[in-house]
Amino acid sequence: MISLQNGRITKIVVLITLLILSLIPVYLINYRAIKSSYHHYWGINYYLNNMKELSYKYWRTSLDTPNPYLDGSRVDFGTTIQDGYQLGIVYDPISQVHKEVIEEMKKAIQSQPENYFFYTFLAEFYNIFSDFDPSYLDEAEKLENIAWQLSPNRQQILYAMAKTALLKGDEVRGYEAFKKAVDLNPLASDPHFFFGLVALSRQDMELGLSEIALAEKLGRRPRNFQEAISLGNLVGDAGNYKKAIETYQFALKQFAEDPNYKIWSMDVRLKLAIAYYLDGNQAASKEAFLSLMQEVNLKQFPIYKDLRPILDGLGIP
């Protein structure tokens, strides 16, 4: 009896041991996923609070922790870096950090080589950081072509192709890509907005203004100072000064929390003052110029010679 009981006990112990051992990999995977998610969360949270050094530290820990969801973290890391760069929340040294994103996204592509999204995301990232290396635009084109082969007629891919073409100075190809993207999904606002900018830059004012109006109807307005300035300048050059004024006013109000607001706002306020003058509102123009002159010396501006006739017309010495 004792021998029989000992045999049963031994079997039970062996089964329990095997059960525990079988759970160890599950525990390790779950622990790593939880650890990575924790640092992922704080990487985003510190970014939103403009605490870049801590944000980067947590992002790196998240990305260095193997887990099944790593590719998603790589995309979110890249999104944080590129969005921050465009908003003036720059991770130092950005010349190195942006390369880390590129390497992480290459790993994501290796992990899921049939997923068009990772190719497209990296192509768009190359576009944004092409100022650091012009060859990034060639790399972007290669990735866009692969993405298109994997999943043709994707609006996102056409959108990336259009931006790459425009950055390379090929307005015709960029124009065609944007038009195709708009035709694929007429209710998407981004393609209408950028197609409108391209049309305006090509002097197709009727089409450009109609596309911008449609984008606004769909809820797409300028998302940063750069976009607002581009739109304001283009509609102003087209003689639509009221639209230019509205765009500059929108930028000054909408982007008041921009870290580089003081720098950008000086440019916008100057353009606004000029737009008022060209629109025939001399009172508003004079007020805008005088307000600006309390903070800066217009004589230091490269366009001061061009401003002088306007200032004389407004009676500003």
Side-chain angles (χ1 to χ4, degrees):
M1 289 291 293
I2 293 176
S3 176
L4 182 61
Q5 289 177 348
N6 286 341
R8 288 176 178 173
I9 291 172
T10 300
K11 289 181 179 179
I12 292 172
V13 170
V14 170
L15 289 172
I16 292 174
T17 301
L18 290 173
L19 178 62
I20 292 172
L21 289 174
S22 69
L23 291 175
I24 288 176
V26 176
Y27 168 77
L28 288 175
I29 291 173
N30 286 338
Y31 168 74
R32 288 171 176 171
I34 292 171
K35 178 183 177 182
S36 179
S37 297
Y38 170 81
H39 287 86
H40 183 139
Y41 167 82
W42 284 107
I44 294 175
N45 190 280
Y46 282 126
Y47 158 71
L48 294 174
N49 287 280
N50 200 21
M51 301 171 71
K52 299 184 289 293
E53 290 184 6
L54 280 172
S55 173
Y56 175 76
K57 175 184 175 182
Y58 276 88
W59 271 121
R60 273 279 35 119
T61 303
S62 175
L63 295 168
D64 292 339
T65 304
N67 71 89
Y69 314 108
L70 198 50
D71 290 338
S73 294
R74 287 167 173 148
V75 171
D76 289 345
F77 175 54
T79 300
T80 300
I81 300 304
Q82 70 180 21
D83 287 357
Y85 179 70
Q86 291 176 305
L87 293 171
I89 306 174
V90 181
Y91 285 67
D92 293 322
I94 191 62
S95 58
Q96 174 59 36
V97 174
H98 88 273
K99 292 180 180 179
E100 293 181 25
V101 175
I102 292 171
E103 292 306 311
E104 292 294 337
M105 289 311 304
K106 286 181 178 179
K107 293 177 184 176
I109 289 173
Q110 290 175 354
S111 172
Q112 301 185 52
E114 300 301 314
N115 191 331
Y116 83 93
F117 173 78
F118 294 132
Y119 296 94
T120 308
F121 182 90
L122 182 53
E124 292 180 320
F125 191 87
Y126 275 134
N127 283 337
I128 291 170
F129 287 90
S130 59
D131 285 344
F132 288 88
D133 186 345
S135 70
Y136 284 171
L137 297 178
D138 295 328
E139 296 300 317
E141 282 190 334
K142 294 176 185 176
L143 292 168
E144 289 154 5
N145 289 331
I146 295 173
W148 188 259
Q149 292 173 6
L150 290 171
S151 187
N153 292 322
R154 289 270 184 180
Q155 189 179 53
Q156 183 185 10
I157 302 173
L158 285 167
Y159 185 49
M161 287 177 166
K163 287 195 288 186
T164 303
L166 292 176
L167 288 169
K168 296 188 81 169
D170 191 341
E171 285 193 5
V172 174
R173 193 155 54 91
Y175 186 88
E176 291 173 349
F178 268 127
K179 188 177 186 307
K180 192 171 182 178
V182 168
D183 292 341
L184 276 177
N185 185 1
L187 295 180
S189 60
D190 266 3
H192 285 292
F193 180 81
F194 286 106
F195 186 39
L197 293 182
V198 174
L200 288 170
S201 70
R202 289 169 57 85
Q203 307 299 313
D204 192 340
M205 300 306 168
E206 183 177 354
L207 176 61
L209 291 173
S210 67
E211 286 295 316
I212 293 298
L214 183 53
E216 291 179 352
K217 185 177 180 180
L218 293 170
R220 179 59 161 92
R221 301 294 303 273
R223 290 175 179 162
N224 51 53
F225 270 116
Q226 296 96 315
E227 288 186 358
I229 291 171
S230 294
L231 177 58
N233 291 353
L234 287 169
V235 294
D237 290 343
N240 193 334
Y241 303 121
K242 285 183 170 53
K243 181 60 180 176
I245 290 168
E246 186 271 332
T247 302
Y248 296 140
Q249 289 175 333
F250 171 83
L252 292 172
K253 181 179 180 180
Q254 186 71 15
F255 310 124
E257 300 302 319
D258 188 298
N260 294 313
Y261 179 83
K262 187 173 182 179
I263 297 173
W264 286 113
S265 64
M266 290 293 179
D267 186 30
V268 173
R269 288 166 62 192
L270 176 60
K271 293 177 185 298
L272 179 60
I274 296 171
Y276 278 136
Y277 181 83
L278 295 174
D279 194 46
N281 191 340
Q282 293 197 356
S285 179
K286 185 173 184 178
E287 181 181 354
F289 271 117
L290 291 175
S291 174
L292 187 62
M293 291 170 67
Q294 291 179 1
E295 302 175 44
V296 296
N297 183 358
L298 293 183
K299 292 181 180 180
Q300 296 178 349
F301 282 47
I303 63 169
Y304 178 72
K305 290 183 178 179
D306 297 320
L307 291 176
R308 191 63 258 174
I310 297 177
L311 297 175
D312 290 339
L314 294 172
I316 299 176

